[in-house]
């Protein structure tokens, strides 16, 4: 099991690029151990919000404060990118890399790597070069590499984009397993079906602004804003 | 054409008979160039990688300077090192002039910018690929540099080999700071220059063929040891 995840508070958070706001200003509280889906059309600011929460995006204004010191918060987090970044190493070495950064001993690393390779279904590919894996395998490896450190908070940026149904199902099973183990998951998607399957709570963004936040069931049954309603009905929201 | 044929024959004869002088100057060539390569690599590989990942005010100017230094005229480098190491120079007390160490110093100055510049180019691409992951994993600057060097080691090998190629074939600087002293600082390139000056083209060509063979041999050996071709598509 993973320790309880810290909560995070965004106050007047604003991100600008070339003087143009791409996110915010928004105020947002995320706490508890749920599965938060960040929903919205392309360009809504989903990835930027995730990067802001992860602390890798420069703020133009406002604040992001975790319930623990920033350095500690960063150590508790992991991030999976939409296009998985593979180190030019074997599957085994990719899985071992985050643990090596933490200075774990070789025996412990070997045990965890074998265990996670089995969990992500790559136990027979341990010595294959990671960049040669298929798209689904790469995303599973990226997820395994993120989860192997037992993060308390896991950020995922559209992890199932461009994956087929089978790979999506496998990824979702791994995510549910991680959530059950206590990892707080915050994930972006514009796949409504996936949001319905996974979300316990939901953040809806449009044009970089927070339009709705709350329980997923309430959002899907009775959205508060016309834009969210239109989005749920499959209209093109611009 | 006759001279080329005579050169091949001379090279063959020198190698088959394991000519003592040839063995000596070949070993000295290797010693000087490989030493220079090791020292230059220790400086240039981390520096080139650091330059790829670090943003600072004069970065562009530093890169431009580094690229310009790739074209350093060896004779000028030799002259400057000569002045620094000569008895009246600031390092004259060390007594390094006309020794293999002086030749190594000159070669390090010549090949370090070359290796660093190629390293920077290669590492810049790898850093663009790894940037988000390494930032996300909260890596320290040292961990980033070590990761890039390790994962880009095959490209860096090419950079090192380019440096070795330049070092082993260099003559201007080492002639000035080494003095081409028989049994002391004579290497293949300076021996070739000497024999050419004496008009013994066959022997000069023979030594030239040995030099080319040596460069190829070192390249093949390093490629074989690092299994570049087998895993090069990673």
């Amino acid at each position: 099991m993973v320790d309880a995840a810290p909560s995070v508070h965004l106050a007047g958070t604003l991100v600008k690029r070339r003087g143009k706001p791409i996110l915010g200003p928004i105020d947002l509280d995320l706490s508890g151990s749920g599965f938060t889906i960040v929903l919205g059309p392309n360009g809504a600011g989903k990835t930027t919000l995730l990067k802001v929460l992860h602390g890798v995006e420069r703020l133009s204004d406002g604040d992001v404060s975790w319930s623990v010191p920033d350095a500690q918060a960063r150590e508790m987090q992991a991030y999976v990118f939409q296009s998985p970044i593979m180190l030019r190493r074997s599957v085994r070495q990719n899985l071992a890399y985050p643990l090596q950064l933490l200075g774990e001993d070789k025996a412990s690393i070997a045990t965890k790597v074998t265990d996670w390779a089995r969990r992500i279904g790559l136990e027979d590919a341990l010595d294959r070069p990671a960049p040669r894996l298929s798209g689904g395998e790469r995303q599973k490896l990226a997820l395994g590499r993120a989860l192997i450190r037992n993060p308390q908070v896991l950020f995922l940026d559209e992890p199932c984009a461009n994956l087929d149904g089978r790979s999506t199902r496998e990824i979702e099973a791994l995510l549910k397993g991680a959530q059950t183990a206590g990892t707080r998951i915050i994930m972006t998607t514009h796949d409504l079906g996936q949001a319905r399957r996974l979300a316990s709570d939901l953040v809806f963004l449009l044009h970089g602004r927070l339009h709705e936040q709350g329980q997923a069931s309430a959002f899907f049954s009775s959205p508060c804003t016309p834009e969210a309603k239109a989005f749920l009905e499959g209209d093109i929201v611009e | 054409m006759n001279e080329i044929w005579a050169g091949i024959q001379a090279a063959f004869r020198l190698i088959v008979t394991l000519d003592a002088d040839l063995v000596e100057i070949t070993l000295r060539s290797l010693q000087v160039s490989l030493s220079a390569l090791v020292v230059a690599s220790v400086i240039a590989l981390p520096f080139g990688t650091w330059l790829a990942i670090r943003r600072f005010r004069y970065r562009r100017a530093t890169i431009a300077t580094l690229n310009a230094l790739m074209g350093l005229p060896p004779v000028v480098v030799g002259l400057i090192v000569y002045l620094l190491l000569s008895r009246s120079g600031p390092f004259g007390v060390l007594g390094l002039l006309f020794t293999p160490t002086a030749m190594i110093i000159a070669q390090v100055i010549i090949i370090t910018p070359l290796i660093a510049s190629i390293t920077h180019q290669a590492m810049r691409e790898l850093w663009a690929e790894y940037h988000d992951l390494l930032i996300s994993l909260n890596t320290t600057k040292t961990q980033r540099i070590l990761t890039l060097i390790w994962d880009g080691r095959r490209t860096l090998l090419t950079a090192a080999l380019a440096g070795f190629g330049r070092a082993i074939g260099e003559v201007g600087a080492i002639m000035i700071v080494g003095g081409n002293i028989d049994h002391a600082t004579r290497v293949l390139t300076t021996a070739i220059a000497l024999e050419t000056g004496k008009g013994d083209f066959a022997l000069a060509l023979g030594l030239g063929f040995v030099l080319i063979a040596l460069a190829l041999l070192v390249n093949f050996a390093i490629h074989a040891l690092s299994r570049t071709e087998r895993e090069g598509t990673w």
Side-chain angles (χ1 to χ4, degrees):
Chain A
M1 285 295 285
V2 177
D3 293 338
S7 56
V8 60
H9 175 68
L10 273 67
T13 305
L14 175 68
V15 178
K16 283 184 180 176
R17 283 215 190 110
R18 295 192 183 98
K20 192 180 163 193
I22 55 166
L23 180 75
I26 62 172
D27 299 300
L28 177 68
D29 275 304
L30 291 171
S31 56
S33 58
F35 200 130
T36 301
I37 291 283
V38 181
L39 204 57
N42 286 335
K46 303 188 296 292
T47 301
T48 308
L49 174 63
L50 230 54
K51 287 184 172 176
V52 163
L53 290 167
H54 191 38
V56 294
E57 183 72 57
R58 196 186 299 268
L59 301 184
S60 305
D61 198 8
D63 193 30
V64 178
S65 51
W66 289 85
S67 57
V68 293
D70 282 354
Q72 197 184 338
R74 281 296 299 273
E75 283 171 15
M76 295 172 163
Q77 301 169 9
Y79 195 109
V80 175
F81 299 91
Q82 183 175 349
S83 300
I85 302 167
M86 295 289 103
L87 296 172
R88 295 180 187 175
R89 305 178 182 196
S90 66
V91 170
R92 184 192 306 278
Q93 289 166 326
N94 264 272
L95 283 170
Y97 184 72
L99 302 175
Q100 288 166 344
L101 292 178
L102 293 175
E104 288 203 16
D105 64 88
K106 283 185 180 176
S108 162
I109 290 174
T111 308
K112 287 182 183 176
V113 165
T114 311
D115 178 40
W116 272 98
R118 183 186 51 74
R119 289 201 215 182
I120 60 176
L122 291 177
E123 66 267 46
D124 295 329
L126 271 170
D127 294 314
R128 275 173 63 193
R132 289 190 198 163
L133 298 175
S134 69
E137 287 173 328
R138 287 158 67 115
Q139 196 56 280
K140 281 191 287 183
L141 176 56
L143 188 54
R145 191 176 57 196
L147 289 171
I148 202 165
R149 295 209 302 188
N150 282 331
Q152 277 138 291
V153 183
L154 175 63
F155 299 104
L156 300 113
D157 187 9
E158 305 209 24
C160 300
N162 307 319
L163 295 187
D164 61 17
R166 184 181 168 191
S167 297
T168 300
R169 196 163 50 240
E170 288 171 346
I171 298 277
E172 288 184 5
L174 285 165
L175 293 178
K176 284 176 184 168
Q179 191 203 1
T180 307
T183 299
R184 172 89 161 94
I185 297 176
I186 301 172
M187 177 175 126
T188 67
T189 184
H190 52 233
D191 178 346
L192 280 173
Q194 187 170 52
R196 285 180 202 275
R197 287 193 297 275
L198 299 174
S200 60
D201 58 294
L202 209 132
V203 172
F204 178 66
L205 294 178
L206 187 63
H207 304 312
R209 308 298 287 261
L210 179 64
H211 270 246
E212 285 199 41
Q213 187 204 356
Q215 290 292 315
S217 52
F219 175 80
F220 286 119
S221 59
S222 50
C224 300
T225 60
E227 291 87 354
K229 192 168 180 241
F231 185 76
L232 287 177
E233 286 170 355
D235 287 350
I236 296 171
V237 182
E238 288 183 296
Chain B
M1 195 62 203
N2 282 343
E3 273 154 355
I4 292 176
W5 178 241
I8 294 170
Q9 285 178 316
F12 185 75
R13 193 173 55 248
L14 288 168
I15 293 167
V16 168
T17 59
L18 278 177
D19 181 84
D21 285 345
L22 175 74
V23 171
E24 186 194 323
I25 62 172
T26 301
L27 288 177
R28 190 171 301 113
S29 286
L30 276 176
Q31 179 211 339
V32 169
S33 295
L34 287 176
S35 301
L37 179 64
V38 169
V39 175
S41 295
V42 166
I43 300 166
L45 298 183
F47 177 68
T49 308
W50 177 82
L51 206 53
I53 68 170
R54 186 89 172 125
R55 298 286 177 271
F56 54 94
R57 182 183 284 194
Y58 298 110
R59 182 168 177 271
R60 279 169 183 265
T62 308
I63 293 166
T65 307
L66 187 66
N67 290 338
L69 288 175
M70 281 200 296
L72 265 180
V75 177
V76 177
V77 173
L79 183 61
I80 292 169
V81 175
Y82 180 94
L83 291 173
L84 292 173
L85 298 181
S86 65
R87 284 201 178 278
S88 56
F91 303 108
V93 68
L94 300 173
L96 292 176
L97 198 59
F98 304 131
T99 67
T101 306
M103 296 155 76
I104 291 169
I105 292 169
Q107 289 201 343
V108 166
I109 294 170
I110 291 166
I111 67 173
T112 297
L114 177 69
I115 299 174
S117 186
I118 298 174
T119 299
H120 166 251
Q121 296 288 339
M123 292 297 104
R124 197 171 55 176
E125 285 173 24
L126 191 58
W127 175 236
E129 186 182 325
Y130 280 13
H131 176 272
D132 287 353
L133 177 67
L134 297 187
I135 297 290
S136 155
L137 285 169
N138 218 11
T139 48
T140 63
K141 284 200 171 60
T142 308
Q143 285 171 331
R144 287 172 204 168
I145 289 174
L146 291 176
T147 300
L148 290 178
I149 288 179
W150 180 252
D151 286 12
R153 60 193 180 280
R154 291 183 177 82
T155 320
L156 298 184
L157 183 70
T158 308
L161 286 176
F164 176 76
R166 177 119 202 246
I168 194 89
E170 203 284 314
V171 60
I174 55 171
M175 183 77 94
I176 294 174
V177 300
N180 195 20
I181 302 165
D182 201 12
H183 303 299
T185 58
R186 183 160 300 165
V187 290
L188 280 167
T189 48
T190 55
I192 290 168
L194 179 71
E195 297 306 328
T196 305
K198 284 160 58 180
D200 193 345
F201 297 120
L203 185 55
L205 260 176
L207 290 168
F209 288 131
V210 171
L211 180 63
I212 292 168
L214 192 67
L216 287 174
L217 201 68
V218 171
N219 272 269
F220 286 139
I222 294 177
H223 274 295
L225 286 172
S226 62
R227 298 178 296 175
T228 310
E229 294 308 316
R230 217 186 306 171
E231 297 171 14
T233 54
W234 278 41

